[in-house]
Amino acid sequence: METGNVTTPFGRRSMTLGMLANQVMAGEIKPDQSVDKWKLFRALCEAKPLLGIGDRALAVLNALLSFYPKNELAQESGLIVFPSNIQLSLRTHGMAEQTVRRHLAALVEAGLLLRKDSPNGKRYVRRDRAGEINEAFGFSLAPLLARAEEIEQLAAEVMAERLHVQHLRERITLCRRDVAKLIEAAVEEQIPGDWQGLYGEFRDLIEGLPRSPTAAQLELLLHELEVLRADILNRLETRIKSTKQRGNANYIERHIQNSNPESTIELEPSFETKQGAMAEQDKGREAETPEEGRAETTRPGRQEESRQSGGRNDGGGLKSFPLGLVLQACPEILAYGPGGAIRNWRDLMTAAVAVRSMLGVSPSAYEEAANVMGPENAATVMACILERGGHINSAGGYLRGLTRRSEKGEFAIGPMLMALLRANAPAGRKVG
């Protein structure tokens, strides 16, 4: 039996009390004890953070286990493997022999292997006349068998900790989203309060988290975020109650819908119904519109723009240009479309809602622009504003100004698009 006697290492390697303790533990294996070597190896892979071993050491241990002839590690089958470093290098996919030796030493130090060195330090086996192993020199896998229950318990602890951390991260992600969206809604609805200060506090909490946080640090962050979210909700609920007392039901409905972080359509609650109604109005206007090239009758308070080739009249008397032309002039909007592409007008309107929120344009300002200009033209104007973002201090104020001019018949989209087309022509960007 390979664990019957204490063995000391060959050459200059010194004997330690830890090695002696590992040999004593390996000698306490029960005669009928056995374990599936690959199941145990999978548990080792899970428990490696608690055992203090790395991936490369596990690769060497995997190679050693592959030299053990049976799937079940058992005392009666012998627990010594004796491959050379060259063979181990081959089975570790070409790992350098010096690296193999270093990781073998790490496995011994971690108490997962025992050395049983021969008189000359070589690894070999002596067999009897029947071919049975009489004595072998190499590495003993006995510590693995002796510590099987401990290793499986450690693996279970690591898995439970990983699931706990994953759950904490999910809750933190949801809480971060809630805080950010609630502050955004409060700012857009111009609710009184130090929202900038609360946002700064929120950013400080997030940026103070270490790169690889522990479960305790994640729990603390989650608690602080939940306290901050509760504070914001209390402020908003107070505002809602005061609004109810004033009977402003429309405000409440818009406030609740704007707090939905998932749907880009619900960010503009009345667009879905109004787009269909405007399309019907467009058909009616086109039926009453004179043929291309004729000047249209000017109505009081809303002067119609003269028609140009390639365009058509939309809400507010503005001419609507082809989608391809809009995307050529405003390629920046493409990144905000569903899946990073814009294939139709609906995709452009969805992208415009995202850009509207990003640029700080209030829902009421954008909705008013859509009512006056028409939904397609409002989306086109948002694309133009995004393209010229570096030259516009207040996107919301700029949009309201264009809406007022459009009501008076003093605004046309064509010159804006043509200017952007000329500016983007040298870049040669492809519309997709």
Side-chain angles (χ1 to χ4, degrees):
M1 184 172 69
E2 71 274 11
T3 57
N5 298 309
V6 172
T7 60
T8 56
F10 170 78
R12 291 180 294 178
R13 290 192 295 267
S14 59
M15 184 68 177
T16 65
L17 289 179
M19 291 181 185
L20 181 60
N22 288 337
Q23 292 188 33
V24 171
M25 176 187 63
E28 297 174 353
I29 298 174
K30 299 175 183 179
D32 59 344
Q33 186 176 351
S34 65
V35 65
D36 185 293
K37 64 180 182 181
W38 298 123
K39 181 180 178 182
L40 182 61
F41 180 73
R42 287 192 293 273
L44 274 169
C45 292
E46 291 285 353
K48 67 178 181 178
L50 300 181
L51 292 170
I53 54 175
D55 297 340
R56 306 294 293 279
L58 283 173
V60 173
L61 181 58
N62 179 76
L64 282 172
L65 288 173
S66 70
F67 284 101
Y68 190 77
K70 297 184 178 181
N71 280 336
E72 292 286 325
L73 291 177
Q75 181 77 22
E76 59 185 14
S77 302
L79 293 169
I80 300 291
V81 288
F82 39 88
S84 66
N85 285 342
I86 294 177
Q87 291 174 316
L88 283 174
S89 177
L90 290 174
R91 293 207 184 181
T92 52
H93 308 289
M95 188 183 293
E97 290 186 38
Q98 183 178 2
T99 305
V100 169
R101 287 194 292 271
R102 185 170 70 252
H103 290 301
L104 285 171
L107 290 169
V108 172
E109 186 177 352
L112 300 176
L113 289 180
L114 283 178
R115 293 182 186 272
K116 186 177 180 184
D117 289 342
S118 65
N120 62 1
K122 301 294 182 181
R123 300 171 205 153
Y124 57 87
V125 62
R126 289 202 182 105
R127 301 179 184 272
D128 56 21
R129 293 184 178 181
E132 298 293 330
I133 295 177
N134 187 20
E135 190 171 15
F137 297 98
F139 291 101
S140 173
L141 303 175
L144 291 177
L145 183 57
R147 299 180 64 184
E149 292 184 4
E150 176 196 353
I151 291 169
E152 290 174 354
Q153 180 62 32
L154 291 175
E157 291 177 9
V158 170
M159 291 176 66
E161 179 75 3
R162 184 171 66 247
L163 290 174
H164 178 54
V165 168
Q166 180 182 348
H167 181 60
L168 286 173
R169 287 185 179 277
E170 288 173 351
R171 292 178 62 190
I172 287 172
T173 298
L174 292 173
C175 203
R176 284 180 61 178
R177 186 178 70 189
D178 291 345
V179 170
K181 295 289 184 179
L182 288 170
I183 291 176
E184 179 185 357
V187 171
E188 288 182 351
E189 298 295 343
Q190 300 179 356
I191 297 175
D194 185 16
W195 302 112
Q196 190 66 31
L198 287 173
Y199 186 76
E201 181 182 346
F202 167 62
R203 294 310 309 170
D204 289 342
L205 288 175
I206 300 302
E207 292 169 3
L209 191 68
R211 194 178 188 87
S212 300
T214 63
Q217 289 170 326
L218 290 173
E219 288 172 354
L220 178 60
L221 174 63
L222 177 60
H223 172 70
E224 292 174 337
L225 286 174
E226 287 176 340
V227 170
L228 180 59
R229 180 176 61 183
D231 181 24
I232 295 170
L233 283 173
N234 284 336
R235 298 184 186 208
L236 296 180
E237 287 172 2
T238 301
R239 178 68 175 183
I240 290 174
K241 289 176 182 177
S242 65
T243 304
K244 281 183 177 180
Q245 291 173 359
R246 295 195 305 268
N248 190 349
N250 291 333
Y251 175 86
I252 297 172
E253 180 182 359
R254 186 170 66 254
H255 175 82
I256 294 173
Q257 288 174 329
N258 284 344
S259 299
N260 187 340
E262 299 296 336
S263 172
T264 57
I265 299 301
E266 289 182 357
L267 287 173
E268 309 297 341
S270 62
F271 281 1
E272 283 298 305
T273 57
K274 288 185 178 180
Q275 284 169 6
M278 289 180 179
E280 292 300 323
Q281 293 172 8
D282 287 345
K283 292 178 182 178
R285 282 198 297 269
E286 287 174 359
E288 298 172 1
T289 299
E291 64 271 18
E292 293 289 342
R294 273 179 63 184
E296 297 198 358
T297 305
T298 303
R299 289 183 294 171
R302 181 171 293 185
Q303 182 180 353
E304 300 275 334
E305 294 289 331
S306 61
R307 292 181 178 269
Q308 300 176 18
S309 60
R312 63 182 179 82
N313 278 350
D314 205 340
L318 283 181
K319 184 183 64 178
S320 185
F321 289 82
L323 179 61
L325 181 66
V326 174
L327 297 181
Q328 264 190 324
C330 309
E332 295 293 337
I333 195 74
L334 289 168
Y336 299 87
I342 294 177
R343 303 171 186 83
N344 49 50
W345 281 105
R346 184 178 181 83
D347 287 350
L348 180 63
M349 293 178 201
T350 301
V353 171
V355 170
R356 189 275 306 161
S357 178
M358 182 192 71
L359 295 180
V361 177
S362 68
S364 60
Y366 186 49
E367 186 173 348
E368 184 181 8
N371 288 335
V372 174
M373 304 178 185
E376 294 179 357
N377 285 330
T380 300
V381 170
M382 283 308 307
C384 293
I385 292 175
L386 174 66
E387 200 71 26
R388 299 187 58 213
H391 306 283
I392 298 173
N393 293 328
S394 173
Y398 187 76
L399 180 62
R400 287 188 185 276
L402 295 182
T403 303
R404 298 286 82 79
R405 290 176 57 195
S406 181
E407 281 184 325
K408 299 175 183 178
E410 299 172 355
F411 171 65
I413 298 177
M416 182 184 293
L417 285 175
M418 295 305 109
L420 290 173
L421 273 174
R422 287 192 295 271
N424 290 327
R429 283 189 273 193
K430 186 177 181 181
V431 177

